[in-house]
Amino acid sequence: MAFESLGEKLQDVFKKLRGKGKLAEGDVKEAMREVRLALLEADVNFRVVKDFVASITEKAVGHEILESLNPGQQVIKLVHEEMIALMGSTQSQLTFSSKPPTVYMMVGLQGAGKTTSSGKLAGLMRKQGKRPLLVACDVYRPAAIKQLQVVGSTYNIPVFEMGDKASPVTIAEKSLEFANENGHDIVLIDTAGRLHIDDTLMDELGDIRAKVKPQEILLVVDAMTGQDAVNVAKTFDEKLGLDGIIVTKLDSDTRGGAVLSVKKVTGKPVKYIGMGEKLDDMEPFHPDRMASRILGMGDVLSLIDKAQQAFDEKQAADLEKKFRENSLDLEDFLQQMQQIKKMGNIKDLLGMMPGVNQAALAGAEIDEKAMVHMEAIIQSMTKKERQNPEILNGSRKRRIAAGSGRTIQEVNRLLKQFEEMRKMLKGFSGMMGKGGKKGKGLLGKMGKLPFFG
């Protein structure tokens, strides 16, 4: 999980601050020393850490903070605000050309995830109603063209290629002609990378830029390379002029210091982050939401975004009605599980919820196979049995267990959990009826998270 170690350490620091009714200047400085160490261990740039801690210390030792009613909370608020500012304050979105096609040039070193990110970005744009085209300009790396074609087919995006003998500049130029002729309004050029930055690479990228005049040049960097990612970003920006950065493999790295450093060092915003292998695992980067995640405040807005993408509006409305009438059945339960799975890794989803202990969650064993087993059991029932689980007698349960490859005990456990959930929702339905429009909307979007119980 991203920033697991950093978040845990910072939350420990803040726990100590909250435990003190009154703060002295020495308490703040001791806390800031621990914050400094935590950030350095997360591989945040040294100068960035120095300025970050100095700014917070200066503000936190002021009279209005130390003499306030909750000085510990005030210091935490300062850290939160400073962290948001450090990462760019607001979300930086992609810009579009006034005359299509809009060209994005994807650059970066080998192994950073450039080709995969190109495909994911094209997939996200396709979901927004765009008609993207991927362009294979890496003619040097073995099987690079084939990899882009595989990625393209995964997201149902066409790939323009001219083999590995043509010049990358020619391929990029011809791709624009192809896009115009075939109605593609977005062109994503997947350029070649190297194991290190060299003049040959930069000259070629400069030639492509001069020929296609991209709307934006996006650098893809690997979070696991830590400070190297920031150094790479600085060099690419000096040589090419970047418009934005995509940080990949953030799910694999407990440090992730590149995300916290790169805006301050280069002045260029992080636009997307890669949190896994699936299309929906590439997320727009929101500095405020990331700061809240790191500091253990949750990220409900991102959770709702994921729910909105996964849940069909009509299904959500139907479910809302059944919820209020307390008439949910096992078919609804199955539908909910299938939609929750679309939202992503369960541990990551729980990590977005405020108040969830990140340290405990890190060590928790969440068996996602259990959901698969529950699906198999319900799918082994007849429609009548799903709609009327009270008719499930011993012989029916034996048939269902055999059909799903599970045990009768597991069938009974599922039915017991479902019945407990129905009782709990019956109690909630009255309260939610008084909650007004806001409560109803959130309920529909979140997809009834009590199904996890």
Side-chain angles (χ1 to χ4, degrees):
M1 198 181 299
F3 298 108
E4 193 175 287
S5 179
L6 174 61
E8 190 178 332
K9 287 171 183 170
L10 291 180
Q11 288 167 50
D12 283 344
V13 173
F14 298 149
K15 198 180 292 180
K16 293 175 189 174
L17 289 179
R18 287 194 191 97
K20 294 176 183 281
K22 211 70 167 143
L23 286 185
E25 188 173 324
D27 294 323
V28 173
K29 290 187 174 177
E30 175 59 32
M32 288 306 105
R33 270 195 293 272
E34 292 183 40
V35 168
R36 177 177 173 274
L37 283 172
L39 290 170
L40 289 173
E41 286 177 18
D43 220 5
V44 180
N45 179 275
F46 172 73
R47 291 188 182 279
V48 171
V49 174
K50 185 180 176 184
D51 293 345
F52 180 81
V53 171
S55 176
I56 293 170
T57 304
E58 183 182 349
K59 294 172 184 175
V61 297
H63 175 79
E64 67 278 6
I65 298 293
L66 296 184
E67 296 300 317
S68 65
L69 205 58
N70 294 297
Q73 290 179 1
Q74 291 293 331
V75 174
I76 296 164
K77 182 172 179 284
L78 280 176
V79 173
H80 185 242
E81 290 171 351
E82 200 73 21
M83 192 169 278
I84 293 171
L86 180 65
M87 292 187 285
S89 296
T90 57
Q91 181 198 4
S92 180
Q93 299 181 337
L94 292 175
T95 60
F96 295 90
S97 172
S98 56
K99 182 184 176 185
T102 299
V103 180
Y104 300 107
M105 190 170 155
M106 309 290 284
V107 301
L109 298 185
Q110 280 184 15
K114 181 159 39 66
T115 299
T116 305
S117 295
S118 299
K120 285 183 178 180
L121 193 53
L124 290 175
M125 289 182 172
R126 187 171 177 276
K127 287 175 75 173
Q128 295 167 11
K130 304 291 185 183
R131 295 197 65 223
L133 174 71
L134 289 165
V135 182
C137 278
D138 185 353
V139 298
Y140 309 110
R141 183 168 58 88
I145 296 172
K146 181 65 179 174
Q147 183 192 356
L148 188 64
Q149 289 172 328
V150 170
V151 168
S153 65
T154 301
Y155 304 123
N156 199 22
I157 310 293
V159 175
F160 180 86
E161 55 92 11
M162 295 173 62
D164 58 5
K165 304 301 180 192
S167 151
V169 178
T170 302
I171 296 169
E173 188 177 16
K174 293 293 183 184
S175 73
L176 297 192
E177 295 176 14
F178 181 88
N180 280 315
E181 291 167 3
N182 292 275
H184 294 287
D185 51 6
I186 301 290
V187 174
L188 289 124
I189 299 176
D190 182 30
T191 64
R194 299 283 192 281
L195 294 175
H196 57 277
I197 296 171
D198 61 22
D199 291 338
T200 305
L201 169 66
M202 288 302 172
D203 288 345
E204 180 177 284
L205 295 176
D207 291 342
I208 295 173
R209 180 189 61 182
K211 187 60 70 175
V212 302
K213 297 179 175 55
Q215 176 74 11
E216 293 197 19
I217 299 178
L218 301 172
L219 174 70
V220 181
V221 295
D222 182 344
M224 295 180 74
T225 59
Q227 278 308 293
D228 281 345
V230 179
N231 296 333
V232 165
K234 192 174 180 182
T235 305
F236 266 88
D237 185 45
E238 289 169 354
K239 300 282 187 180
L240 286 175
L242 299 175
D243 296 286
I245 296 164
I246 297 173
V247 181
T248 63
K249 306 176 189 176
L250 205 55
D251 58 313
S252 305
D253 185 38
T254 55
R255 297 172 302 168
V259 169
L260 292 167
S261 306
V262 73
K263 176 68 167 67
K264 182 78 172 178
V265 174
T266 66
K268 305 301 177 183
V270 175
K271 297 205 170 189
Y272 285 89
I273 52 174
M275 301 291 289
E277 295 299 318
K278 298 176 185 174
L279 170 61
D280 292 336
D281 291 335
M282 176 178 270
E283 306 172 5
F285 181 65
H286 298 268
D288 54 342
R289 299 185 190 183
M290 182 56 72
S292 293
R293 282 195 213 183
I294 294 169
L295 300 178
M297 299 174 182
D299 184 2
V300 172
L301 291 176
S302 289
L303 192 58
I304 289 174
D305 283 348
K306 284 181 176 289
Q308 285 177 316
Q309 292 168 21
F311 286 80
D312 177 87
E313 275 190 39
K314 185 179 182 305
Q315 288 177 328
D318 291 344
L319 201 68
E320 181 75 30
K321 186 171 182 288
K322 286 192 171 189
F323 176 83
R324 292 177 181 278
E325 294 172 352
N326 194 32
S327 60
L328 291 171
D329 57 34
L330 284 166
E331 283 198 319
D332 302 317
F333 195 15
L334 177 63
Q335 183 189 105
Q336 288 303 102
M337 284 193 291
Q338 290 170 338
Q339 290 184 311
I340 286 169
K341 278 168 64 180
K342 291 180 189 175
M343 291 172 63
N345 180 280
I346 292 176
K347 188 180 281 192
D348 289 344
L349 296 178
L350 292 174
M352 291 180 188
M353 298 181 72
V356 172
N357 186 317
Q358 299 295 317
L361 189 59
E365 290 297 323
I366 298 176
D367 184 8
E368 300 209 18
K369 286 183 181 177
M371 193 178 279
V372 176
H373 297 162
M374 291 165 80
E375 280 185 81
I377 291 170
I378 298 173
Q379 286 169 338
S380 295
M381 298 177 186
T382 64
K383 186 173 182 178
K384 186 178 178 182
E385 288 168 342
R386 292 180 201 171
Q387 293 175 340
N388 304 281
E390 58 275 3
I391 69 173
L392 292 172
N393 55 24
S395 63
R396 287 177 185 265
K397 290 176 185 177
R398 282 193 292 274
R399 191 202 77 243
I400 292 164
S404 61
R406 310 314 305 166
T407 65
I408 292 178
Q409 287 83 357
E410 286 176 291
V411 176
N412 285 329
R413 191 182 308 130
L414 167 64
L415 293 172
K416 185 180 178 183
Q417 287 175 338
F418 176 68
E419 195 51 46
E420 286 174 352
M421 184 203 69
R422 277 213 296 200
K423 286 177 183 175
M424 180 176 67
L425 292 183
K426 186 177 182 181
F428 280 155
S429 62
M431 290 188 289
M432 291 306 295
K434 301 171 186 175
K437 194 173 181 181
K438 185 177 178 184
K440 181 178 178 180
L442 181 61
L443 187 65
K445 290 170 187 172
M446 293 302 292
K448 317 303 165 293
L449 285 176
F451 277 93
F452 282 119

